[in-house]
Amino acid sequence: MAFLIGANIKPVTRWISLSLLLVAALSAYAYGSATSAVAFIILGMLLEGTFWIGLLGKKRH
């Protein structure tokens, strides 16, 4: 899904994709925190980074 964020897509699709990334990141953080699974915490960090890049990425004209 991360490949969609930088593409020329409709704003609604972009926001839905970003929302799903944020939910996935929070879920990975929660699971990793509850089970002490470092892999899920790292996954959450990667998903959150993708979210922020998609949110603050290049401005569209």
Side-chain angles (χ1 to χ4, degrees), residues 18-32 40-52:
L18 287 172
S19 299
L20 290 173
L21 276 172
L22 187 59
V23 168
L26 292 173
S27 298
Y29 278 137
Y31 184 77
F40 281 97
I41 294 172
I42 292 171
L43 176 64
M45 293 170 81
L46 291 173
L47 290 169
E48 183 184 0
T50 306
F51 167 80
W52 284 111

Side-chain angles (χ1 to χ4, degrees), residues 7-25:
N8 292 329
I9 58 175
K10 295 179 182 179
V12 172
T13 306
R14 181 174 179 260
W15 284 107
I16 290 172
S17 299
L18 287 172
S19 299
L20 290 173
L21 276 172
L22 187 59
V23 168

Side-chain angles (χ1 to χ4, degrees), residues 5-6 14 18 49-60:
I5 303 304
R14 181 174 179 260
L18 287 172
T50 306
F51 167 80
W52 284 111
I53 289 169
L55 186 66
L56 301 174
K58 293 181 182 178
K59 299 288 182 189
R60 290 168 176 71

